[in-house]
Structures are given as structure tokens and as C-alpha cells.
Amino acid sequence: MHDITALGFLFPNEVHVHWGLMIVMYPYTTGLVAGAFIASSFYHVHGREELKPISRFALVAALAFLLFAMLPLLNHLGHPERAMNIMITPNFTSAMAGFGFIYSAYMVILLLEIWLVFRRDIVLLARSTRGLKRLFYSALTLWVYDISEEALAIDRKLTSILAAVGIPAACVLHGYVGFLFGAVKSNPWWSTPLMPVIFLLSAIVSGIAMLILMYIAIMRFRGEKADLDCLQTLVNFLWLFLIIDVVLEVLEILNLAYEKGEEWIVISQLLTKELFFSFFIGQILVCSVVPFFLLGYLVLVQPRGQGRRLRMLSGLSALLLLIQVFAMRWNVVIGGQLFSKSFRGFMDFHPEFLEKEGILASAVIFVLPFIFIYVFGKILPLWRPVDESEVPLPHRLPRSPHDVPRPPRVPESPVR
Amino acid sequence: MKEKRISRREFIQQVGAAAGSTAILFLVAEETLADLAGTPKPVVEYDWTKHHYGYAIDTRKCIGCGRCVLACKTENKVPDGYYRTWVERYHVLKNGAVEIDTPEGGAFGFKEREGDGKVIKAFFVPKLCNHCVNTPCTQVCPVGASFRTPDGVVLVDSEHCIGCGYCIQACPYGSRFLHPELKIASKCTFCYHRITKGLFTACAQACPRGARIVGDFRDENSQLYKIVSNERVRMLKPELNTEPQVYYIGLDGVVV
């Protein structure tokens, strides 16, 4: 029996972990995108009316995380100035080559859908503002001001189509990352056909968890009541996806443990020593088992009343699950690089606070989408469409689809 | 704020025109970019379709002097702390345990192990990029910077590599590293600049015992061809089906 604890052999080129925090942040961010979008699609495609309150916000959250998803990758590349090579000379046998096209295509779908969902508001705001603001909103309308019932009906139809097309697109956007890891035969911790599925499911878990947490927090901040039906539906979906996700994650390890292939020499030690805290304590015990029971209680018992219990327990579970998905990304990406390809030794990974791909950089990249959401919320309403009664009378509806009057010179009334 | 009505036909025509001109633009741009990138001048007397380079290592002959590692470092300006080729030392102990070490890749030889009576057998195993036929590294390169030449050598285009590190993850043998200054993927090139001129690789040239043999599988008179035809040879990790082109004589089962 090989005793490798005494060995510590690494191939001489295995000096450090190449794919560090940035490569943990990237799937975490795109996971949030995919998850938020799919949650929004439950309303736009499957007609789950309970989710209407967060449907707009979910799309904006998805866009916010998508816009900054490229940052960790650009920060990591040895030659970020050559990054466009993946679109100019893509090598299509590489999963990574898909990134440029998948990302661009999904960005187009998401931007279109958001534009269509917010179009009515943009037009109303374009009509009822003046000066620079008017110019800005007019540009956003793409100079189309038709918000008659038929136009809005077309908008809604297009939105459902985009949302439907967006679901497989979101699955590919995040699934390809799972495939990127899962198809690397040199690394037995990564190599499994389950990897794209596990990545996608944990993405949905993180997306829904993020929505729950932000919904509760923002409603609290605005002094409004969170819609309890909406929250309960989100909790139901979250519990369901959590169960499937954790089952697959554990199944993968059970399979490795049972088959006891050569890789089990390193992987068993990886799990019981190097990743003991981040995997068993973090990912499984605190951040999967605890939310499983909390959410299970909320789903099966369904306490209502003031909704205080629902908000607190779902908020806590959401927070733990956001940590769980981060831990999962860490355990997969970093964990897979902690053991030598010789399967005879281990190395350490300690990210620094101030280094190029360090903790501060990751924190900044994580915070930027939230700033975007805040700024977006100042421009367009995130939660409810612009109320017609708040818009001054002459600007509300066109007399005919072709006739849009210029606003008369009256003092500007506040819109929101 | 005049509203413009556009018919469906007009819309499709405009989108079609835009898409068509973009496609043409891309095609033209690709040609121009290819020209700008530079088409390499072919070496007149050398036909790369007529060769298939490979390597053989006789582990029974290796004495662990490390001259090969030093020669490679000098010839190819390999940065400190990284190795295009290296030598591993194995000690198989009585209880079945195996000790492996490669201090500085073996470049300066090996310090003698303290005698404690536990060692059954010991040997050296030189390693380098296997220049696989079924390369996992070129498969995963997103930009095609990593490629396999028609004469069987896996190379990296240093002008094109974006330094993503995917190939380093994909190599099962630990042959690749990220060049600390150039920030690109780097590895053994079979001294392509030498073998295409009929010379040996620096490592094979430096080996005092002839443990390293570089050659052309297509040349039936070469020592390499004779070895793979007559000796009992084995490659590293054959179960991964990467089809390595480095053949080992005397490869023990404990070699990783």
C-alpha cells in the first residue's frame, strides 16, 4: 500500500495553484446570472404569477452580474490584450473557446429582454422629463414611442420568446463552465460527466438565494412589505434545487469512494485533510444540512402570519447557501489543484489580500454588480412599472399610434 | 419626437444587409489579420510532412547526473524554478512505500539518501513533454496557440497565447508551466530548432550515457526506430489514451 503522506511529491512544474480566486469568482458570478435569469423565467415563461414581484429585479440582477463576469477572467489572463483571440481564432475543440460567443449571445438576449420589459417605462419617462434626462431616455427608447395596447402585447409576446430562448442559453452559459472542468481527464477531481449538471444546479441555487436575500433586504430598506407568496414560491424552488444539487455532489464522491481507483489515494486525503474545513464543515454541514432543515421547515410547515419567520429563516438560509455555492466553487477549482498530477503529493493555497488575483480584487469584483443595480434603480423602476397616474396628463397615452405630441411648456412634475 | 413606422419587409431587408456586410467584413478582416500575423517562410530543404519525431528513454542507463536538465535550461533559456525536462529519483522501500524526489529537477544531481536499510531498489526516470498524438493540451487551447506540427511536435505560438492556463491544467504529465516573464504557456519543444536541422535535442546531446534518444520514426535506420521495434517499451499513463511519443525502456510499475 502506497503511503503518500510521507511523500509529498509534486512534479517540478507544479509550483503553485494557477487557477486561483479569479477562477473561483467567474463561475460564481455566471452562476448568479443563470440562477437569477431562470428564476425570472419561471414568471415570464411558465406564468408563475407569484414571482411577478421579483421578475423585473431578477433580470436586472442577472444583467448586473453578467456585465462584470468578464472581469475576473481578464484579470487572470497572462495576456488580456489578446483576449479577443478567442473570438478571432477560436479553437472549437476547447470549451473555453465557447466563452466569447456564448457570452455575447446571452448578453444580446438579456439586453433585448430587459429593454422590452422596461420599454413602456422608458417611453413614459422620456415623455415626462426635460433636457439631458429627456435626451437620455429618448435614446433608450431607440426612438420608438409606441406604447399602445397592441404594441405592449407584442412586447409581452417577444419577452416570453426571449425568456424561453434564454433558459437554454443560460444553461449553456453556465453549463459550459462545468464541462470545461468536467472534461479534463488529467484531473480526477474534476473529470466527471456530472460536472456541468452540478455547476448548473448550484448556479440556480445561488441565483434564487441571491434574489431572496436581496428582496428581503431591499424591501426592508425601502420600508415596504415583501410579497409573502413570492417569497414562499422562491423558497419552494430553492429547497427543491438544493436537494437535487447536494444529492449529485455527494453522489460523485460516493462513487469515487466506492470504486477506489488510483485517484482515491489523493482524493480521500484531499477531503479529509486539505479540504476538511471548506468541504465537510463548510459546504456540507453548515451550509447544506442547516439550510436543508430550515427551508424544509418553511416548505412543509409554511408558517405565515406576519411573515417574520418566513423572512428571517429564508434570509438566513439564502445567506448560508450563497456561502455554500462559493465553497463548492472553491472546493472544485482550488481543490482540484491542491494535489499533484502524480497523485503523490499536495500543495497549499493561501490567497493574499493585496495581490493581483487576491481577496481585495475578488471583493471589488463582487461588489460592482450591486453598485450597478443601485444605479440602474435610479434610472428605471426595479420593482413596479411606472404608475400612469404619476405621469402628467398630456404625456400618458398617444391619441393614435402614429401621433406623439410634444409636451407643452408646463412646470415639470415629479415622476417617481 | 416623430414616430417612424417601418414595415416588416423593410426591417428584414435592413437586418439582412447589415448581417451580410458584417459577414463580408469579417472575412476580409480575417485575411488581413492573417497577413498581419505573418505567414512563416518555409525552410526550403525541409519537408515537415516527411518526418515523425519521437523519443526513447532507457531508464536502466540513467545515472541522475542532471546534465540533460542543465543543457535544456541553457539551450532554451528556461526560467529558474521551471523545467522543460527533469529527472525523478525513485526509492522502493521494503514495506512497499515509494519515495520520489526531484530536487531542482535533478539539474545538479541528487544527494545520497541516508542509509537505513529500507531500500530494495532505486532508479532514475527522466521526464519531458511526451508530444502526444492525442494531445489533451492542444484540444483545450481556446485560441489554437498550442498546436501539433505535421512532424509530430507539440508547440506553443508565443505571439498568440493568451496565458489562460487551460493547457497546463489539461496536461496529465506536468510538462507545462506558465512562463513567469512572458506570461504564456511554455514547455519542451523537442528542440525543434535543432532537430529540423538534423541535430539532436540539447538533452539527448548532453546525456553521457546515451539514455536519451531522439529520432525519427519514419527513418528505419534510426536508433529510435530500432528501439521501439526490438525492446520492451512502455509509455506514461497509457490508459489516458493520449498516445505519448516518448517510449521508456525499463519503466517500473511504481513510476507516476
Side-chain angles (χ1 to χ4, degrees), chain B residues 132-218:
Chain B
C132 310
V133 174
N134 211 0
T135 44
C137 58
T138 61
Q139 186 184 27
V140 299
C141 175
V143 295
S146 196
F147 63 100
R148 192 163 180 275
T149 65
D151 43 7
V153 181
V154 177
L155 298 172
V156 178
D157 182 348
S158 56
E159 312 270 295
H160 214 66
C161 174
I162 61 174
C164 70
Y166 200 2
C167 59
I168 303 169
Q169 301 291 348
C171 175
Y173 307 105
S175 311
R176 287 176 171 258
F177 57 92
L178 194 78
H179 197 289
E181 279 129 51
L182 298 176
K183 299 276 186 253
I184 54 159
S186 188
K187 68 175 191 68
C188 158
T189 58
F190 261 4
C191 282
Y192 196 66
H193 57 289
R194 290 175 61 93
I195 58 176
T196 49
K197 295 192 184 119
L199 302 169
F200 290 136
T201 59
C203 50
Q205 181 77 48
C207 178
R209 300 222 51 215
R212 289 172 173 259
I213 301 107
V214 64
D216 186 350
F217 286 120
R218 297 260 193 108

Side-chain angles (χ1 to χ4, degrees), chain A residues 17-31:
Chain A
V17 169
H18 277 111
W19 283 0
L21 266 181
M22 291 295 114
I23 310 301
V24 174
M25 288 303 296
Y26 171 69
Y28 193 61
T29 320
T30 55

Side-chain angles (χ1 to χ4, degrees), chain A residues 25-61:
Chain A
M25 288 303 296
Y26 171 69
Y28 193 61
T29 320
T30 55
L32 290 168
V33 173
F37 184 88
I38 288 173
S40 167
S41 294
F42 286 140
Y43 166 72
H44 283 114
V45 180
H46 303 291
R48 295 294 298 253
E49 286 294 321
E50 312 94 326
L51 292 176
K52 187 166 178 179
I54 52 103
S55 61
R56 290 181 150 219
F57 180 78
L59 285 176
V60 177

Side-chain angles (χ1 to χ4, degrees), chain B residues 28-90:
Chain B
V28 172
E30 211 194 304
E31 283 300 307
T32 322
L33 283 167
D35 282 335
L36 288 173
T39 318
K41 276 204 287 280
V43 177
V44 179
E45 297 89 32
Y46 181 72
D47 183 1
W48 66 0
T49 60
K50 298 254 179 343
H51 301 268
H52 179 184
Y53 295 109
Y55 211 91
I57 294 177
D58 193 342
T59 63
R60 301 168 304 189
K61 289 186 181 168
C62 179
I63 53 171
C65 66
R67 293 292 185 274
C68 50
V69 181
L70 284 174
C72 173
K73 271 197 181 281
T74 315
E75 177 72 20
N76 296 294
K77 300 191 190 47
V78 182
D80 280 336
Y82 295 97
Y83 305 89
R84 291 190 174 195
T85 186
W86 66 95
V87 181
E88 295 168 4
R89 176 175 64 169
Y90 288 76

Side-chain angles (χ1 to χ4, degrees), chain A residues 144 355 359 406:
Chain A
V144 174
E355 64 186 0
I359 300 174
R406 202 174 273 285

Side-chain angles (χ1 to χ4, degrees), chain A residues 64-325:
Chain A
F65 286 106
L66 187 69
L67 279 173
F68 298 103
M70 271 231 289
L71 275 186
L73 298 177
L74 286 173
N75 188 20
H76 164 77
L77 283 181
H79 284 272
E81 77 281 4
R82 297 179 192 168
M84 286 309 286
N85 281 350
I86 60 163
M87 294 196 65
I88 301 172
T89 60
N91 176 25
F92 285 118
T93 57
S94 169
M96 204 184 279
F99 167 71
F101 304 100
I102 296 168
Y103 182 84
S104 318
Y106 188 78
M107 178 75 83
V108 168
I109 294 173
L110 189 58
L111 281 174
L112 271 177
E113 194 181 336
I114 288 180
W115 185 73
L116 285 167
V117 165
F118 281 93
R119 204 176 69 79
R120 180 183 161 279
D121 297 339
I122 302 172
V123 172
L124 287 174
L125 287 167
R127 287 217 196 102
S128 52
T129 50
R130 300 181 142 291
L132 216 59
K133 267 194 189 174
R134 186 195 194 81
L135 188 64
F136 175 72
Y137 285 116
S138 301
L140 274 185
T141 65
L142 300 183
W143 293 278
V144 174
Y145 299 98
D146 186 353
I147 53 169
S148 60
E149 264 316 301
E150 10 170 83
L152 291 180
I154 296 174
D155 282 357
R156 274 189 293 272
K157 184 160 178 248
L158 286 172
T159 305
S160 336
I161 295 173
L162 281 171
V165 168
I167 296 176
C171 290
V172 173
L173 177 75
H174 200 65
Y176 97 92
V177 179
F179 187 80
L180 198 149
F181 288 101
V184 178
K185 64 185 170 190
S186 70
N187 193 321
W189 185 230
W190 290 349
S191 177
T192 166
L194 284 178
M195 200 55 90
V197 187
I198 293 175
F199 262 74
L200 187 56
L201 285 168
S202 58
I204 298 174
V205 166
S206 68
I208 299 179
M210 177 62 83
L211 286 176
I212 289 177
L213 201 58
M214 292 194 77
Y215 187 43
I216 295 174
I218 294 177
M219 287 297 125
R220 193 6 103 71
F221 182 69
R222 286 158 68 106
E224 291 177 26
K225 276 198 137 314
D227 184 309
L228 295 180
D229 277 330
C230 179
L231 209 49
Q232 183 67 46
T233 310
L234 285 171
V235 162
N236 293 348
F237 276 120
L238 186 59
W239 195 55
L240 173 70
F241 280 106
L242 172 66
I243 292 170
I244 308 176
D245 177 40
V246 175
V247 162
L248 287 179
E249 284 173 11
V250 171
L251 187 65
E252 221 258 291
I253 294 167
L254 279 180
N255 203 51
L256 285 169
Y258 185 87
E259 287 188 3
K260 282 213 203 66
E262 191 195 8
E263 66 273 356
W264 187 241
I265 305 173
V266 267
I267 291 179
S268 54
Q269 185 171 322
L270 184 72
L271 289 172
T272 51
K273 289 220 178 95
E274 271 75 12
L275 294 183
F276 179 73
F277 183 73
S278 61
F279 184 75
F280 281 116
I281 307 292
Q283 184 178 337
I284 298 296
L285 198 65
V286 174
C287 297
S288 292
V289 172
V290 171
F292 170 75
F293 283 109
L294 291 178
L295 291 171
Y297 166 73
L298 290 174
V299 172
L300 299 170
V301 173
Q302 299 216 354
R304 284 309 178 93
Q306 293 295 320
R308 194 162 175 272
R309 207 175 292 179
L310 177 61
R311 275 181 285 126
M312 290 197 65
L313 293 182
S314 62
L316 177 61
S317 305
L319 183 64
L320 288 174
L321 284 173
L322 284 172
I323 300 173
Q324 193 262 13
V325 176

